[in-house]
């Protein structure tokens, strides 16, 4: 595919690196030489230093033949303008990064479609959604709900008290068991899409696929019964992600946002008009302030400042003060493995969330969603099985799925079903596939509609 990306910031650079591993024809445009420095030499990307809103630049970059144009510069208006121009020049599909939530309202989306902007991406909204999802269960590192919860993916850190350690997976999650383990991040860095002979070890980050009614069962077998539900939350940093999280916070949770800027505190009071959210002016690293605001009675601490080191250290401090659930915004990918090694809890990265959201638009099969299990360096994709596609031809055990690809579950007629070797996938089923990133295209081939010659 031909993809043109405008903006070599965090999202654009990360997305272009993903695309370079998938053998796409990728062009990255930015008018800042420093942001482009080294990109084209380290990856199979053509870097162009020029204005992304220049018609000549867009023509020279081959936008007329582009399957996808992505506007992810730092300025929302520039992204929208670049997408409008790219559409007029012939780009088949366009995506713009925005920072105005009003644009995402259903009644406003048609305005953008009319002018040539097919899709809008607001990274802070996507990150806030992940944060709220993670707060619903204090004992999980990551939670993904599929089809409004018909299936649930739970990432759980295993400790010595886990009841299912050191047993082959075929003995603990067989066809009749209410969960499947679909991915493992092993201590030391190795990521496994497991088979029946693999065993769980203390320190593993294990990803369980299950249904809503069996979440308490998983909590029990992994030894997390003592974890209480999240009711009180302290959020450090009052940026856009914090605002979106506060506005979507469930009514049964109460949050205190600690922000160091008095001016920003005043803005937050205007932006967040909710009785279960309190704005506090102060430094979230101040132990005296944390004690004063009830850190001892807080079940979750979320650090969302613009500094990764500050967020990591703040979460470590909160853990030492007794908080069981911590979430850190880590924008520098170089710090992700370090943060995981320090065992700080859930890690949120806006650019990987946004890049995955955009990446799914380039797949040939019908993909409802694509998410990166960032810590595990794996992908979870929700494919819709097409008529006459290879995945519908036989039972799962006989499909010949590539090594490193696993099917965890499917949704049929709104009902979540765990998949085993005897499952027969049908056209129209929404199927959850787990794989290493480099195997994603191999998995996709099983879901494409077959072309039958007449």
């Amino acid at each position: 595919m031909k993809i043109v990306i405008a903006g070599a910031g965090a999202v654009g650079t990360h997305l272009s690196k993903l695309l370079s591993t998938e053998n796409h024809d990728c062009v990255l445009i930015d008018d800042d030489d420093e942001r482009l420095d080294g990109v084209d030499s380290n990856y199979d990307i053509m870097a162009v230093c020029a204005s992304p809103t220049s018609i000549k630049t867009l023509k020279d970059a081959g936008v007329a033949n582009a399957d996808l144009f992505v506007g992810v510069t730092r300025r929302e208006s520039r992204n929208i303008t670049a997408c409008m121009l790219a559409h007029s020049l012939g780009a088949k599909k366009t995506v713009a990064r925005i920072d105005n939530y009003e644009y995402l309202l259903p009644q406003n989306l048609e305005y953008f479609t009319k002018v040539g902007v097919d899709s809008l991406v607001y990274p802070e909204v996507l990150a806030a959604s992940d944060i709220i999802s993670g707060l619903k269960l204090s004992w999980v590192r990551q939670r993904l709900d599929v089809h409004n919860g018909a299936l649930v993916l739970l990432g759980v850190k295993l400790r010595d008290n886990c009841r299912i350690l050191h047993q082959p997976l075929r003995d603990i999650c067989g066809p009749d068991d209410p969960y499947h383990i679909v991915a493992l991040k092993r201590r030391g860095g190795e990521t496994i899409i497991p088979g029946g002979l693999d065993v769980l070890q203390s320190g593993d980050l294990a990803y369980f696929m299950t249904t809503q009614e069996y979440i308490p069962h998983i909590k029990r077998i992994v030894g997390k019964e003592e974890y209480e539900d999240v009711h009180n939350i302290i959020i450090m940093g009052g940026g856009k992600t914090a605002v979106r999280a506060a506005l979507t916070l469930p009514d049964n949770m109460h949050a205190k946002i600690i922000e160091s800027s008095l001016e920003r505190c005043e803005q937050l009071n205007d932006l967040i008009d909710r009785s279960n959210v309190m704005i506090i002016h102060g430094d979230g690293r101040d132990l005296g302030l944390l004690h004063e605001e009830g850190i001892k009675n807080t079940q979750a601490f979320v650090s969302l400042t613009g500094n990764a080191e500050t967020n990591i250290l703040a979460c470590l401090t909160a853990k030492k003060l007794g908080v069981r659930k911590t979430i850190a915004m880590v924008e520098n990918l170089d710090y992700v493995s370090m943060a995981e090694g320090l065992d700080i809890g859930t890690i949120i990265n806006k650019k990987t969330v946004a890049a995955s959201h955009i990446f799914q638009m380039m797949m040939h099969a019908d993909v409802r969603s694509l998410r990166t299990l960032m810590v595990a360096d794996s992908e979870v994709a929700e494919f819709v099985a097409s008529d006459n596609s290879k995945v519908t031809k036989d039972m799962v055990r006989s499909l010949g799925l590539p090594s490193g690809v696993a099917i965890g579950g499917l949704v049929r007629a709104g009902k979540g079903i765990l998949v085993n070797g005897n499952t027969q996938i049908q056209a129209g089923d929404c199927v959850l596939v787990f794989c290493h990133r480099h195997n994603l295209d191999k998995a996709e081939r099983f879901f494409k509609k077959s072309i039958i010659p007449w």
Side-chain angles (χ1 to χ4, degrees):
M1 292 181 70
K2 170 82 173 183
I3 301 102
V4 179
I5 302 171
V11 176
T13 302
H14 183 68
L15 180 60
S16 62
K17 290 175 182 178
L18 286 179
L19 294 172
S20 70
T21 64
E22 298 291 331
N23 298 317
H24 293 292
D25 179 7
C26 184
V27 180
L28 181 62
I29 305 171
D30 201 290
D31 53 11
D32 187 328
D33 260 330
E34 291 185 5
R35 287 201 289 267
L36 291 171
D37 187 36
V39 171
D40 54 350
S41 60
N42 295 326
Y43 300 91
D44 187 16
I45 301 164
M46 186 173 82
V48 177
C49 184
S51 170
T53 55
S54 161
I55 294 175
K56 181 180 184 305
T57 297
L58 296 177
K59 286 182 176 180
D60 291 345
V63 163
N65 299 314
D67 296 286
L68 180 69
F69 179 87
V70 183
V72 284
T73 74
R74 298 177 181 180
R75 287 162 47 195
E76 173 186 79
S77 59
R78 203 177 201 193
N79 296 334
I80 294 172
T81 300
C83 284
M84 292 168 62
L85 292 171
H87 172 79
S88 297
L89 291 170
K92 294 183 178 66
K93 186 182 292 186
T94 65
V95 184
R97 176 183 178 173
I98 60 168
D99 56 19
N100 185 340
Y101 185 75
E102 179 188 17
Y103 293 166
L104 291 178
L105 298 176
Q107 64 268 29
N108 295 333
L109 293 177
E110 64 176 305
Y111 299 132
F112 293 94
T113 304
K114 288 178 181 177
V115 297
V117 183
D118 298 304
S119 186
L120 302 173
V121 174
Y122 192 159
E124 288 77 9
V125 169
L126 298 174
S129 177
D130 278 3
I131 290 169
I132 296 300
S133 180
L135 289 173
K136 292 176 182 177
L137 296 175
S138 61
W139 49 279
V140 305
R141 292 292 177 91
Q142 187 172 9
R143 169 179 174 160
L144 296 178
D145 290 291
V146 182
H147 272 265
N148 297 317
L151 289 172
V152 183
L153 178 69
L154 306 174
V156 184
K157 190 77 168 183
L158 305 182
R159 307 296 184 186
D160 290 336
N161 63 342
C162 175
R163 301 179 187 179
I164 53 175
L165 297 180
H166 312 304
Q167 303 172 61
L169 293 187
R170 65 184 180 189
D171 294 342
I172 60 174
C173 50
D176 298 324
D177 290 296
Y179 64 88
H180 291 329
I181 296 172
V182 293
L184 290 174
K185 172 65 182 297
R186 189 125 287 169
R187 180 180 291 172
E190 184 184 7
T191 298
I192 301 170
I193 304 297
L197 297 178
D198 288 301
V199 299
L200 301 176
Q201 301 176 8
S202 180
D204 284 351
L205 179 59
Y207 288 87
F208 292 76
M209 174 61 68
T210 189
T211 52
Q212 290 277 359
E213 63 267 32
Y214 290 108
I215 291 176
H217 174 72
I218 292 176
K219 183 179 183 181
R220 183 170 62 255
I221 64 174
V222 297
K224 305 290 185 180
E225 297 102 320
E226 78 279 8
Y227 278 70
E228 59 182 316
D229 292 339
V230 173
H231 297 294
N232 299 313
I233 307 155
I234 290 178
I235 300 175
M236 179 176 164
K240 293 176 183 177
T241 304
V243 171
R244 299 316 316 170
L247 289 173
T248 53
L249 191 73
D251 292 336
N252 66 331
M253 296 182 186
H254 293 79
K256 295 178 178 179
I257 300 178
I258 301 177
E259 167 58 45
S260 59
S261 166
L262 180 59
E263 181 183 359
R264 182 58 177 170
C265 284
E266 293 172 353
Q267 294 173 350
L268 292 174
N269 278 315
D270 293 333
L271 292 169
I272 307 170
D273 184 17
R274 297 196 64 186
S275 60
N276 61 339
V277 179
M278 181 183 298
I279 311 301
I280 297 167
H281 177 231
D283 188 340
R285 298 168 295 183
D286 185 338
L287 295 182
L289 177 61
L290 292 177
H291 283 292
E292 184 180 329
E293 296 303 332
I295 191 73
K296 292 294 184 182
N297 297 314
T298 296
Q299 293 82 39
F301 183 90
V302 184
S303 192
L304 302 176
T305 75
N307 187 288
E309 297 98 319
T310 297
N311 294 337
I312 293 169
L313 291 173
C315 285
L316 287 173
T317 301
K319 275 189 168 292
K320 288 183 179 180
L321 294 174
V323 181
R324 302 295 291 269
K325 176 77 173 183
T326 58
I327 301 175
M329 182 76 77
V330 181
E331 286 300 281
N332 189 333
L333 287 175
D334 294 333
Y335 290 163
V336 169
S337 59
M338 179 187 71
E340 171 62 15
L342 293 171
D343 205 16
I344 65 166
T346 300
I347 299 167
I348 299 291
N349 183 283
K350 291 183 295 186
K351 64 186 176 184
T352 58
V353 174
S356 293
H357 186 79
I358 297 169
F359 190 79
Q360 78 179 68
M361 301 175 190
M362 293 172 287
M363 304 190 72
H364 297 288
D366 187 353
V367 184
R368 294 288 173 85
S369 66
L370 176 69
R371 298 299 305 276
T372 297
L373 303 179
M374 182 176 59
V375 172
D377 192 29
S378 299
E379 308 285 349
V380 50
E382 182 185 354
F383 289 100
V384 178
S386 300
D387 292 331
N388 204 37
S389 58
K390 186 176 180 180
V391 78
T392 64
K393 296 297 185 181
D394 212 333
M395 289 184 290
V396 168
R397 67 171 180 238
S398 302
L399 289 175
L401 292 172
S403 175
V405 175
I407 295 176
L410 63 83
V411 179
R412 180 181 296 161
K415 181 182 178 182
I417 301 171
L418 295 179
V419 169
N420 59 58
N422 297 322
T423 301
Q424 177 74 55
I425 296 172
Q426 301 175 9
D429 287 348
C430 295
V431 185
L432 269 293
V433 177
F434 300 81
C435 60
H436 296 299
R437 183 172 297 130
H438 61 270
N439 282 330
L440 192 58
D441 59 335
K442 297 177 184 177
E444 182 187 11
R445 294 171 194 158
F446 282 79
F447 292 87
K448 295 178 183 178
K449 187 172 183 177
S450 297
I451 300 175
I452 305 175
W454 295 96

